[in-house]
Amino acid sequence: MAVHIRFDLNEQLFIKDPAESDLGRRIIEHSILLFNKLGYEKFTFKKLAIEINSTEASVYRYFENKHHLLLYLVSWYYEWINYLIYANLINVTEPKKRMQVIIQNIVEASIQNPLIDYVNESLLHKIVVAEGTKAYHSIDVDEENKYGYFRSYKTLVKFIADEIGKYKPDFSYPKSLASNMIEMANNQGYFADHLPALTDVKKGEKCNRQLVKMINYFVFKILE
Amino acid sequence: MAVHIRFDLNEQLFIKDPAESDLGRRIIEHSILLFNKLGYEKFTFKKLAIEINSTEASVYRYFENKHHLLLYLVSWYYEWINYLIYANLINVTEPKKRMQVIIQNIVEASIQNPLIDYVNESLLHKIVVAEGTKAYHSIDVDEENKYGYFRSYKTLVKFIADEIGKYKPDFSYPKSLASNMIEMANNQGYFADHLPALTDVKKGEKCNRQLVKMINYFVFKILE
DNA sequence: TTCAAATAATAGTAATACTTTTAAAAAAAA
DNA sequence: TTTTTTTTAAAAGTATTACTATTATTTGAA
């Protein structure tokens, strides 16, 4: 059975919906590959166009610029996490267990079943870890926030904050803990890979398991 | 009495030491102003050169490119925090009180006495909060780490981790808690200003006080 | 089949991120 | 003080980036 999902991303993130055409889907697919290969700074629409045997001008018909493309990918990622968490929480009622499922999904999203053929979720996760903060660390953050460009991330934070509220109703910092859980998962994973002096998590296959364990430890200490 | 301090930054961060010439100091002073005004992406050496009545080529004699300039500024900032913490911990012996001083300094660094006339520490703090993660979120992070470009940040994390070790010797995650304290202070402050849905800290004059209180709460809950 | 939309191909512009050369000015050494 | 070296300013130049515009061709829906 194939499950068909279409995330409702903010329509101002793109000029023409990339999910709706073959070229659009190739843009998404190969931008994920190329962002991973080159990093955000060295990625250009020209190079992407060459990869997909198309032209710069055609790519520009889908996205205003590479910043918008990054915003699209990051939003897609958080929509996907929202979906995964939602799906994995069905039938889980105990608040503590629900928090554990959330942490698991934030960290290990990449090893879940891929959902959409043209999106390599594992590589997308790497992009979010390595480049994700660039989406909102921009001089135009306030204006972009007005346009709702960060809605998917905010939705996830709100959801987690509400779960924290269920677990401990009198807790004073649900939103901060929620956003810090996500940021910490991303950061500490990145540090394990690239700046090991900044983390106790060791690089390798069990990296994610350590991360899950650590974030669980932190979160339940704070909430106890 | 004037106190003269000269931070020993990694010499590979610059081509020619900006602290040692008038033009160099003007480059630092105005790059802090211009990064604040334009943000990292729109900042260029050309625009900086115009501000300081010099030329692009002259700026290039000090820094390889704007990424290195950002690395220099971020390193300078963390050297400064290291210094402030060191100075404010003299005569503080109780481990808990020492942790509190550290948290205070991470968050409120900007309101301490300015140290060097050509560095606006308050604006520099804003740059670190808004653009600091771009220093190490780069495709060249591994190579740059080998060159020791992140030494100042790592020194600070190591210092805090050691203090955590003094406070609670059997704690499993001293480095992760230390780096998360810094990242959290920066992030949550940025969110309060720009993405309030992601934090419980309210914007305004008491923002830093709330931040200090919250981070104290988190840290001592985790370490209790 | 026709008509509209999407794409490819091509070209072009302004700005960016540099490098190079030369000359003038300033600092250091003799 | 003069000479030498270093630093800076001025000017010009290049490759790449980040776009925009135009036109021809292809594709897909009515």
Side-chain angles (χ1 to χ4, degrees):
Chain A
M1 189 191 76
V3 186
H4 283 280
I5 293 133
R6 188 61 151 303
F7 298 135
D8 283 323
L9 297 172
N10 184 324
E11 299 212 345
Q12 286 176 266
L13 288 174
F14 48 77
I15 293 166
K16 181 169 160 24
D17 190 347
E20 294 202 330
S21 72
D22 183 62
L23 181 63
R25 290 185 290 268
R26 262 157 58 221
I27 288 172
I28 300 306
E29 182 180 359
H30 288 272
S31 66
I32 291 170
L33 300 173
L34 207 57
F35 269 129
N36 258 284
K37 192 174 164 191
L38 303 177
Y40 181 75
E41 283 70 26
K42 287 171 187 154
F43 175 101
T44 68
F45 277 7
K46 176 99 214 194
K47 291 170 186 168
L48 175 62
I50 292 166
E51 290 283 316
I52 59 175
N53 294 310
S54 181
T55 63
E56 226 182 332
S58 296
V59 179
Y60 274 105
R61 299 194 72 257
Y62 286 83
F63 292 99
E64 215 175 305
N65 50 46
K66 77 168 165 175
H67 181 237
H68 278 73
L69 175 52
L70 178 69
L71 282 167
Y72 179 93
L73 293 176
V74 170
S75 295
W76 198 99
Y77 174 83
Y78 284 116
E79 286 294 323
W80 179 54
I81 300 291
N82 270 309
Y83 166 81
L84 278 184
I85 288 176
Y86 176 82
N88 288 317
L89 281 181
I90 296 172
N91 301 325
V92 182
T93 51
E94 198 210 329
K96 180 163 186 170
K97 184 71 196 149
R98 288 175 69 86
M99 287 298 296
Q100 289 169 337
V101 169
I102 289 169
I103 292 168
Q104 180 80 23
N105 278 281
I106 289 171
V107 174
E108 305 219 77
S110 51
I111 59 165
Q112 301 268 347
N113 296 330
L115 206 63
I116 292 187
D117 57 352
Y118 62 91
V119 175
N120 182 329
E121 283 86 357
S122 176
L123 285 184
L124 180 56
H125 180 245
K126 283 181 118 180
I127 293 173
V128 171
V129 166
E131 322 278 9
T133 70
K134 292 171 192 169
Y136 55 79
H137 281 109
S138 133
I139 197 83
D140 301 318
V141 59
D142 298 323
E143 207 184 346
E144 290 180 354
N145 189 31
K146 276 185 207 148
Y147 290 141
Y149 287 180
F150 312 114
R151 195 190 67 198
S152 303
Y153 187 45
K154 283 153 73 171
T155 301
L156 178 59
V157 168
K158 186 178 179 345
F159 181 83
I160 298 173
D162 288 347
E163 289 291 328
I164 292 168
K166 284 184 204 164
Y167 181 80
K168 195 182 179 191
D170 62 329
F171 182 63
S172 304
Y173 308 110
K175 294 195 285 182
S176 290
L177 179 57
S179 58
N180 192 239
M181 280 164 64
I182 300 167
E183 297 290 329
M184 190 178 183
N186 292 342
N187 261 326
Q188 298 287 321
Y190 186 82
F191 291 161
D193 277 349
H194 303 290
L195 296 161
L198 304 180
T199 185
D200 303 286
V201 176
K202 300 277 169 276
K203 194 173 176 172
E205 26 158 4
K206 287 178 190 160
C207 177
N208 279 352
R209 220 179 302 170
Q210 295 168 64
L211 247 182
V212 168
K213 196 179 160 195
M214 181 174 79
I215 294 177
N216 268 287
Y217 180 84
F218 275 49
V219 167
F220 290 109
K221 271 284 193 173
I222 288 167
L223 293 177
E224 87 190 357
Chain B
M1 188 192 75
V3 185
H4 282 281
I5 294 134
R6 187 63 150 302
F7 298 134
D8 282 324
L9 297 172
N10 185 326
E11 300 211 345
Q12 287 176 267
L13 289 175
F14 48 78
I15 294 166
K16 181 169 159 25
D17 190 346
E20 293 202 331
S21 72
D22 183 60
L23 181 64
R25 289 185 290 269
R26 264 157 56 219
I27 287 172
I28 300 307
E29 182 180 358
H30 289 272
S31 67
I32 291 170
L33 300 174
L34 206 57
F35 268 129
N36 258 285
K37 191 174 164 191
L38 303 178
Y40 181 75
E41 282 71 26
K42 286 172 188 154
F43 174 101
T44 68
F45 277 7
K46 176 100 214 192
K47 291 170 186 168
L48 175 62
I50 291 167
E51 291 282 315
I52 59 176
N53 293 311
S54 181
T55 63
E56 225 181 332
S58 296
V59 178
Y60 274 107
R61 298 195 73 257
Y62 285 83
F63 293 99
E64 216 175 305
N65 50 47
K66 75 169 166 176
H67 181 237
H68 279 72
L69 175 51
L70 179 69
L71 281 168
Y72 179 93
L73 293 176
V74 170
S75 295
W76 199 99
Y77 174 82
Y78 284 116
E79 286 293 324
W80 179 55
I81 299 291
N82 269 309
Y83 166 81
L84 277 184
I85 289 176
Y86 176 81
N88 288 317
L89 280 182
I90 296 171
N91 301 325
V92 182
T93 51
E94 198 211 330
K96 180 164 188 170
K97 183 72 196 148
R98 287 175 70 86
M99 288 298 296
Q100 289 169 338
V101 169
I102 289 169
I103 292 168
Q104 181 79 23
N105 278 281
I106 289 172
V107 174
E108 305 218 76
S110 52
I111 58 164
Q112 300 269 345
N113 296 328
L115 206 63
I116 292 185
D117 58 352
Y118 61 91
V119 175
N120 182 329
E121 283 86 357
S122 176
L123 285 184
L124 181 55
H125 180 245
K126 282 181 118 181
I127 293 173
V128 170
V129 166
E131 322 278 8
T133 70
K134 292 171 192 169
Y136 54 79
H137 280 109
S138 132
I139 197 82
D140 302 317
V141 59
D142 297 324
E143 208 184 344
E144 291 179 354
N145 189 32
K146 276 185 207 150
Y147 290 142
Y149 287 179
F150 312 114
R151 196 189 65 198
S152 303
Y153 187 44
K154 282 153 73 171
T155 301
L156 177 59
V157 167
K158 187 180 179 342
F159 181 84
I160 299 173
D162 289 346
E163 289 291 328
I164 292 168
K166 284 184 205 165
Y167 181 81
K168 194 182 179 190
D170 62 329
F171 182 63
S172 304
Y173 308 111
K175 294 195 285 181
S176 291
L177 179 57
S179 58
N180 193 240
M181 280 165 63
I182 300 167
E183 296 291 329
M184 190 179 183
N186 292 342
N187 262 325
Q188 298 288 320
Y190 185 82
F191 291 162
D193 276 349
H194 302 290
L195 296 161
L198 304 180
T199 185
D200 302 287
V201 176
K202 300 277 169 274
K203 194 172 175 173
E205 26 159 2
K206 287 177 189 161
C207 177
N208 279 352
R209 220 178 302 169
Q210 295 169 63
L211 247 182
V212 168
K213 196 179 161 194
M214 180 174 78
I215 295 177
N216 267 288
Y217 180 85
F218 275 49
V219 166
F220 290 110
K221 269 286 194 174
I222 288 167
L223 294 177
E224 87 191 356

